[in-house]
Amino acid sequence: MKKIVLLLICIQLGSCQSNAQKKETKPDFEVSKTETEWRKALTAEEFNVLRKSGTEPAFSSPLNKIKKPGTFVCAACKNPLYQTKHKFDSGTGWPSFDRAIDSSLAISSDRKLGYKRTEALCGKCGSHLGHIFNDGPRETTGMRHCINGVALDFIPKNK
């Protein structure tokens, strides 16, 4: 009898669904590929960051040093995301911007570290770029888009 009661309790607990357990649904994006197609199109590191929401090591991106005029585009779909004129050195070790190009991003949220963070996604393909914080330069927008360098490609202004 005890085994039956225990089994029923386990079944009941396993079938509980609350809003907290439901995953956020992300919108449909213009560029859509299967996981296999993304794996073929991206390097292993790009796939980990862009498609699995990974994070590259701080201070590892050569894009941290770029100051010349140009546009930073999504490494997965080439969607223009950020301009050099809105880039600043946040001291965090990742490329940081105080704003994105209008309508280039999709915004979501995650709780992977135990608290809610604003996640920046490419508005065209839904790839994970990084996170947005409100501790950026007060003289501009006050926002800091902390973006993985591996999620971006740089296109100089005259190209």
mmCIF file with all atom_site columns, all heavy atoms in Angstrom, residues 91-106:
data_model
loop_
_atom_site.group_PDB
_atom_site.id
_atom_site.type_symbol
_atom_site.label_atom_id
_atom_site.label_alt_id
_atom_site.label_comp_id
_atom_site.label_asym_id
_atom_site.label_entity_id
_atom_site.label_seq_id
_atom_site.pdbx_PDB_ins_code
_atom_site.Cartn_x
_atom_site.Cartn_y
_atom_site.Cartn_z
_atom_site.occupancy
_atom_site.B_iso_or_equiv
_atom_site.pdbx_formal_charge
_atom_site.auth_seq_id
_atom_site.auth_comp_id
_atom_site.auth_asym_id
_atom_site.auth_atom_id
_atom_site.pdbx_PDB_model_num
ATOM 1   N N   . GLY A 1 91  ? 35.208 47.915 -19.394 1.00 0.00 ? 91  GLY A N   1
ATOM 2   C CA  . GLY A 1 91  ? 36.118 47.267 -18.462 1.00 0.00 ? 91  GLY A CA  1
ATOM 3   C C   . GLY A 1 91  ? 35.706 45.841 -18.107 1.00 0.00 ? 91  GLY A C   1
ATOM 4   O O   . GLY A 1 91  ? 36.355 45.200 -17.284 1.00 0.00 ? 91  GLY A O   1
ATOM 5   N N   . THR A 1 92  ? 34.653 45.332 -18.729 1.00 0.00 ? 92  THR A N   1
ATOM 6   C CA  . THR A 1 92  ? 34.145 43.994 -18.397 1.00 0.00 ? 92  THR A CA  1
ATOM 7   C C   . THR A 1 92  ? 34.845 42.877 -19.164 1.00 0.00 ? 92  THR A C   1
ATOM 8   O O   . THR A 1 92  ? 34.757 41.723 -18.766 1.00 0.00 ? 92  THR A O   1
ATOM 9   C CB  . THR A 1 92  ? 32.642 43.896 -18.699 1.00 0.00 ? 92  THR A CB  1
ATOM 10  O OG1 . THR A 1 92  ? 32.435 44.110 -20.104 1.00 0.00 ? 92  THR A OG1 1
ATOM 11  C CG2 . THR A 1 92  ? 31.847 44.901 -17.877 1.00 0.00 ? 92  THR A CG2 1
ATOM 12  N N   . GLY A 1 93  ? 35.483 43.233 -20.289 1.00 0.00 ? 93  GLY A N   1
ATOM 13  C CA  . GLY A 1 93  ? 36.149 42.211 -21.092 1.00 0.00 ? 93  GLY A CA  1
ATOM 14  C C   . GLY A 1 93  ? 35.353 41.766 -22.303 1.00 0.00 ? 93  GLY A C   1
ATOM 15  O O   . GLY A 1 93  ? 35.810 40.905 -23.059 1.00 0.00 ? 93  GLY A O   1
ATOM 16  N N   . TRP A 1 94  ? 34.170 42.340 -22.496 1.00 0.00 ? 94  TRP A N   1
ATOM 17  C CA  . TRP A 1 94  ? 33.360 42.040 -23.679 1.00 0.00 ? 94  TRP A CA  1
ATOM 18  C C   . TRP A 1 94  ? 33.048 43.334 -24.409 1.00 0.00 ? 94  TRP A C   1
ATOM 19  O O   . TRP A 1 94  ? 32.950 44.401 -23.782 1.00 0.00 ? 94  TRP A O   1
ATOM 20  C CB  . TRP A 1 94  ? 32.047 41.365 -23.277 1.00 0.00 ? 94  TRP A CB  1
ATOM 21  C CG  . TRP A 1 94  ? 32.225 39.995 -22.733 1.00 0.00 ? 94  TRP A CG  1
ATOM 22  C CD1 . TRP A 1 94  ? 32.389 38.842 -23.449 1.00 0.00 ? 94  TRP A CD1 1
ATOM 23  C CD2 . TRP A 1 94  ? 32.291 39.615 -21.368 1.00 0.00 ? 94  TRP A CD2 1
ATOM 24  N NE1 . TRP A 1 94  ? 32.550 37.764 -22.603 1.00 0.00 ? 94  TRP A NE1 1
ATOM 25  C CE2 . TRP A 1 94  ? 32.490 38.213 -21.315 1.00 0.00 ? 94  TRP A CE2 1
ATOM 26  C CE3 . TRP A 1 94  ? 32.192 40.309 -20.172 1.00 0.00 ? 94  TRP A CE3 1
ATOM 27  C CZ2 . TRP A 1 94  ? 32.597 37.515 -20.126 1.00 0.00 ? 94  TRP A CZ2 1
ATOM 28  C CZ3 . TRP A 1 94  ? 32.297 39.610 -18.983 1.00 0.00 ? 94  TRP A CZ3 1
ATOM 29  C CH2 . TRP A 1 94  ? 32.502 38.227 -18.969 1.00 0.00 ? 94  TRP A CH2 1
ATOM 30  N N   . PRO A 1 95  ? 32.912 43.274 -25.746 1.00 0.00 ? 95  PRO A N   1
ATOM 31  C CA  . PRO A 1 95  ? 32.505 44.479 -26.473 1.00 0.00 ? 95  PRO A CA  1
ATOM 32  C C   . PRO A 1 95  ? 31.212 45.031 -25.871 1.00 0.00 ? 95  PRO A C   1
ATOM 33  O O   . PRO A 1 95  ? 30.265 44.275 -25.622 1.00 0.00 ? 95  PRO A O   1
ATOM 34  C CB  . PRO A 1 95  ? 32.291 43.987 -27.903 1.00 0.00 ? 95  PRO A CB  1
ATOM 35  C CG  . PRO A 1 95  ? 33.129 42.751 -28.006 1.00 0.00 ? 95  PRO A CG  1
ATOM 36  C CD  . PRO A 1 95  ? 33.086 42.125 -26.635 1.00 0.00 ? 95  PRO A CD  1
ATOM 37  N N   . SER A 1 96  ? 31.199 46.345 -25.619 1.00 0.00 ? 96  SER A N   1
ATOM 38  C CA  . SER A 1 96  ? 30.035 46.972 -25.008 1.00 0.00 ? 96  SER A CA  1
ATOM 39  C C   . SER A 1 96  ? 29.582 48.166 -25.833 1.00 0.00 ? 96  SER A C   1
ATOM 40  O O   . SER A 1 96  ? 30.403 48.911 -26.368 1.00 0.00 ? 96  SER A O   1
ATOM 41  C CB  . SER A 1 96  ? 30.363 47.428 -23.582 1.00 0.00 ? 96  SER A CB  1
ATOM 42  O OG  . SER A 1 96  ? 30.668 46.315 -22.778 1.00 0.00 ? 96  SER A OG  1
ATOM 43  N N   . PHE A 1 97  ? 28.282 48.334 -25.903 1.00 0.00 ? 97  PHE A N   1
ATOM 44  C CA  . PHE A 1 97  ? 27.660 49.398 -26.685 1.00 0.00 ? 97  PHE A CA  1
ATOM 45  C C   . PHE A 1 97  ? 26.569 50.033 -25.839 1.00 0.00 ? 97  PHE A C   1
ATOM 46  O O   . PHE A 1 97  ? 25.959 49.366 -25.005 1.00 0.00 ? 97  PHE A O   1
ATOM 47  C CB  . PHE A 1 97  ? 27.032 48.818 -27.965 1.00 0.00 ? 97  PHE A CB  1
ATOM 48  C CG  . PHE A 1 97  ? 27.999 48.045 -28.809 1.00 0.00 ? 97  PHE A CG  1
ATOM 49  C CD1 . PHE A 1 97  ? 28.229 46.691 -28.565 1.00 0.00 ? 97  PHE A CD1 1
ATOM 50  C CD2 . PHE A 1 97  ? 28.699 48.650 -29.848 1.00 0.00 ? 97  PHE A CD2 1
ATOM 51  C CE1 . PHE A 1 97  ? 29.127 45.959 -29.333 1.00 0.00 ? 97  PHE A CE1 1
ATOM 52  C CE2 . PHE A 1 97  ? 29.595 47.925 -30.617 1.00 0.00 ? 97  PHE A CE2 1
ATOM 53  C CZ  . PHE A 1 97  ? 29.815 46.585 -30.365 1.00 0.00 ? 97  PHE A CZ  1
ATOM 54  N N   . ASP A 1 98  ? 26.306 51.330 -26.070 1.00 0.00 ? 98  ASP A N   1
ATOM 55  C CA  . ASP A 1 98  ? 25.243 51.976 -25.296 1.00 0.00 ? 98  ASP A CA  1
ATOM 56  C C   . ASP A 1 98  ? 23.890 51.911 -25.990 1.00 0.00 ? 98  ASP A C   1
ATOM 57  O O   . ASP A 1 98  ? 22.873 52.274 -25.409 1.00 0.00 ? 98  ASP A O   1
ATOM 58  C CB  . ASP A 1 98  ? 25.607 53.417 -24.922 1.00 0.00 ? 98  ASP A CB  1
ATOM 59  C CG  . ASP A 1 98  ? 25.645 54.374 -26.097 1.00 0.00 ? 98  ASP A CG  1
ATOM 60  O OD1 . ASP A 1 98  ? 25.453 53.943 -27.259 1.00 0.00 ? 98  ASP A OD1 1
ATOM 61  O OD2 . ASP A 1 98  ? 25.867 55.572 -25.860 1.00 0.00 ? 98  ASP A OD2 1
ATOM 62  N N   . ARG A 1 99  ? 23.868 51.414 -27.224 1.00 0.00 ? 99  ARG A N   1
ATOM 63  C CA  . ARG A 1 99  ? 22.613 51.236 -27.958 1.00 0.00 ? 99  ARG A CA  1
ATOM 64  C C   . ARG A 1 99  ? 22.862 50.385 -29.189 1.00 0.00 ? 99  ARG A C   1
ATOM 65  O O   . ARG A 1 99  ? 23.994 50.285 -29.664 1.00 0.00 ? 99  ARG A O   1
ATOM 66  C CB  . ARG A 1 99  ? 22.011 52.573 -28.359 1.00 0.00 ? 99  ARG A CB  1
ATOM 67  C CG  . ARG A 1 99  ? 22.792 53.260 -29.483 1.00 0.00 ? 99  ARG A CG  1
ATOM 68  C CD  . ARG A 1 99  ? 22.451 54.696 -29.644 1.00 0.00 ? 99  ARG A CD  1
ATOM 69  N NE  . ARG A 1 99  ? 23.217 55.437 -28.647 1.00 0.00 ? 99  ARG A NE  1
ATOM 70  C CZ  . ARG A 1 99  ? 23.243 56.741 -28.545 1.00 0.00 ? 99  ARG A CZ  1
ATOM 71  N NH1 . ARG A 1 99  ? 22.537 57.482 -29.359 1.00 0.00 ? 99  ARG A NH1 1
ATOM 72  N NH2 . ARG A 1 99  ? 23.971 57.326 -27.618 1.00 0.00 ? 99  ARG A NH2 1
ATOM 73  N N   . ALA A 1 100 ? 21.789 49.810 -29.695 1.00 0.00 ? 100 ALA A N   1
ATOM 74  C CA  . ALA A 1 100 ? 21.840 49.011 -30.925 1.00 0.00 ? 100 ALA A CA  1
ATOM 75  C C   . ALA A 1 100 ? 21.268 49.837 -32.072 1.00 0.00 ? 100 ALA A C   1
ATOM 76  O O   . ALA A 1 100 ? 20.636 50.877 -31.857 1.00 0.00 ? 100 ALA A O   1
ATOM 77  C CB  . ALA A 1 100 ? 21.011 47.738 -30.754 1.00 0.00 ? 100 ALA A CB  1
ATOM 78  N N   . ILE A 1 101 ? 21.477 49.360 -33.274 1.00 0.00 ? 101 ILE A N   1
ATOM 79  C CA  . ILE A 1 101 ? 20.826 49.955 -34.443 1.00 0.00 ? 101 ILE A CA  1
ATOM 80  C C   . ILE A 1 101 ? 19.325 49.702 -34.286 1.00 0.00 ? 101 ILE A C   1
ATOM 81  O O   . ILE A 1 101 ? 18.903 48.610 -33.883 1.00 0.00 ? 101 ILE A O   1
ATOM 82  C CB  . ILE A 1 101 ? 21.377 49.323 -35.744 1.00 0.00 ? 101 ILE A CB  1
ATOM 83  C CG1 . ILE A 1 101 ? 22.860 49.696 -35.898 1.00 0.00 ? 101 ILE A CG1 1
ATOM 84  C CG2 . ILE A 1 101 ? 20.553 49.731 -36.951 1.00 0.00 ? 101 ILE A CG2 1
ATOM 85  C CD1 . ILE A 1 101 ? 23.577 48.971 -37.027 1.00 0.00 ? 101 ILE A CD1 1
ATOM 86  N N   . ASP A 1 102 ? 18.516 50.718 -34.577 1.00 0.00 ? 102 ASP A N   1
ATOM 87  C CA  . ASP A 1 102 ? 17.062 50.603 -34.409 1.00 0.00 ? 102 ASP A CA  1
ATOM 88  C C   . ASP A 1 102 ? 16.507 49.334 -35.038 1.00 0.00 ? 102 ASP A C   1
ATOM 89  O O   . ASP A 1 102 ? 16.855 48.992 -36.165 1.00 0.00 ? 102 ASP A O   1
ATOM 90  C CB  . ASP A 1 102 ? 16.348 51.817 -35.015 1.00 0.00 ? 102 ASP A CB  1
ATOM 91  C CG  . ASP A 1 102 ? 16.543 53.085 -34.191 1.00 0.00 ? 102 ASP A CG  1
ATOM 92  O OD1 . ASP A 1 102 ? 16.943 52.974 -33.019 1.00 0.00 ? 102 ASP A OD1 1
ATOM 93  O OD2 . ASP A 1 102 ? 16.302 54.181 -34.735 1.00 0.00 ? 102 ASP A OD2 1
ATOM 94  N N   . SER A 1 103 ? 15.665 48.648 -34.302 1.00 0.00 ? 103 SER A N   1
ATOM 95  C CA  . SER A 1 103 ? 14.930 47.446 -34.739 1.00 0.00 ? 103 SER A CA  1
ATOM 96  C C   . SER A 1 103 ? 15.821 46.260 -35.096 1.00 0.00 ? 103 SER A C   1
ATOM 97  O O   . SER A 1 103 ? 15.380 45.358 -35.796 1.00 0.00 ? 103 SER A O   1
ATOM 98  C CB  . SER A 1 103 ? 14.020 47.783 -35.928 1.00 0.00 ? 103 SER A CB  1
ATOM 99  O OG  . SER A 1 103 ? 13.137 48.816 -35.594 1.00 0.00 ? 103 SER A OG  1
ATOM 100 N N   . SER A 1 104 ? 17.065 46.260 -34.626 1.00 0.00 ? 104 SER A N   1
ATOM 101 C CA  . SER A 1 104 ? 17.982 45.163 -34.980 1.00 0.00 ? 104 SER A CA  1
ATOM 102 C C   . SER A 1 104 ? 17.947 44.009 -33.981 1.00 0.00 ? 104 SER A C   1
ATOM 103 O O   . SER A 1 104 ? 18.387 42.912 -34.307 1.00 0.00 ? 104 SER A O   1
ATOM 104 C CB  . SER A 1 104 ? 19.410 45.682 -35.112 1.00 0.00 ? 104 SER A CB  1
ATOM 105 O OG  . SER A 1 104 ? 19.890 46.152 -33.863 1.00 0.00 ? 104 SER A OG  1
ATOM 106 N N   . LEU A 1 105 ? 17.443 44.270 -32.780 1.00 0.00 ? 105 LEU A N   1
ATOM 107 C CA  . LEU A 1 105 ? 17.468 43.264 -31.725 1.00 0.00 ? 105 LEU A CA  1
ATOM 108 C C   . LEU A 1 105 ? 16.083 42.744 -31.386 1.00 0.00 ? 105 LEU A C   1
ATOM 109 O O   . LEU A 1 105 ? 15.088 43.419 -31.612 1.00 0.00 ? 105 LEU A O   1
ATOM 110 C CB  . LEU A 1 105 ? 18.051 43.857 -30.430 1.00 0.00 ? 105 LEU A CB  1
ATOM 111 C CG  . LEU A 1 105 ? 19.473 44.362 -30.418 1.00 0.00 ? 105 LEU A CG  1
ATOM 112 C CD1 . LEU A 1 105 ? 19.837 44.833 -29.020 1.00 0.00 ? 105 LEU A CD1 1
ATOM 113 C CD2 . LEU A 1 105 ? 20.447 43.326 -30.903 1.00 0.00 ? 105 LEU A CD2 1
ATOM 114 N N   . ALA A 1 106 ? 16.059 41.566 -30.813 1.00 0.00 ? 106 ALA A N   1
ATOM 115 C CA  . ALA A 1 106 ? 14.894 41.048 -30.106 1.00 0.00 ? 106 ALA A CA  1
ATOM 116 C C   . ALA A 1 106 ? 15.342 40.926 -28.656 1.00 0.00 ? 106 ALA A C   1
ATOM 117 O O   . ALA A 1 106 ? 16.498 40.612 -28.379 1.00 0.00 ? 106 ALA A O   1
ATOM 118 C CB  . ALA A 1 106 ? 14.471 39.694 -30.667 1.00 0.00 ? 106 ALA A CB  1
#
